Amino acid sequence: MSQYTQQPQFPQAPTPAAQARNGLGTAALILGIIGALSGLIPFFFWLAGILGIIALVMGLAGRGRAKRGGATNKGVALAGAILGLISLIMSVVGAVILFKAVDDAVDDINKATSSSSATKESGDGSAKSDGENKGKKGKGGAAGEDAETLAAGDSAVYEDKLTVTASAPEPYTPGEYAIGHTKGNKAYKVTVVIDNAGTKKFDAALVTAEARAGAEGVKAEQIFDEKVGELFTGTLAPGKKATAVYAFDTPADAENLVVEISPDFSHDASQWDLKL
């Protein structure tokens, strides 16, 4: 009998294959799709750029892993990288479009709100030269001391052919229930005519009127009663005129009344120095 006993041989189980690591390619595809969709929305160009960069990096990394045999979704990773690149391009295009749109909007607002100065047209119909007629003022404020003031019957003619004319003041007796009149003061009414000789409609509802009286320039309150105080309203079509009668309360000893008419935010206010 043999000293050694031969041991039986058993077949060994095969070594399991390494599990495919497809996470990078799958994540790149998902982020690339979301980034591309975000690029279609102008205000989300920044999100498209961020997701595009991540998708491109992860897609290339996933493709490299697939080449080394560590992943099986080479096509998915490549698609994710391509979508990431597309997202980046769309992000740049979206940013350019948005910034251009904002810049155009700002320009339009500036044009709409920029002041338009007026030239002076005397009551006899003659216009003053540019060196004599332009009164400068800031928006919302009164004209400067050296600004051109107009006389009764003169017209302020703006660049868009809007014309504002103020008449000479006439003594006025306020009604019994008038608002804005102080006992002992005098009242004067001024007729203002707006002529829209331009080509665009004018919103007359934005017209405002203020006045100061006397040497001290005290505020002359506007008077409202059943006869005066009705303001400009509605829209003034090209070629049309509108008239409003204002009444102002002045100290009894005032010798002049400075009336300031502001057509709207896009036109300079003009002043008339009226002798009482």
Side-chain angles (χ1 to χ4, degrees), residues 168-206:
E170 299 178 18
Y172 180 71
T173 302
E176 182 179 358
Y177 302 103
I179 299 174
H181 177 59
T182 300
K183 187 176 181 180
N185 285 355
K186 293 183 178 180
Y188 295 88
K189 66 178 182 179
V190 177
T191 301
V192 177
V193 179
I194 296 180
D195 181 6
N196 184 13
T199 58
K200 296 182 179 180
K201 293 181 180 180
F202 172 71
D203 188 358
L206 298 177

Side-chain angles (χ1 to χ4, degrees), residues 54-80:
I54 297 175
L56 180 60
V57 173
M58 294 181 70
L60 294 176
R63 187 167 180 270
R65 177 179 292 178
K67 282 185 176 182
R68 295 189 298 270
T72 59
N73 60 346
K74 180 179 178 181
V76 172
L78 179 60

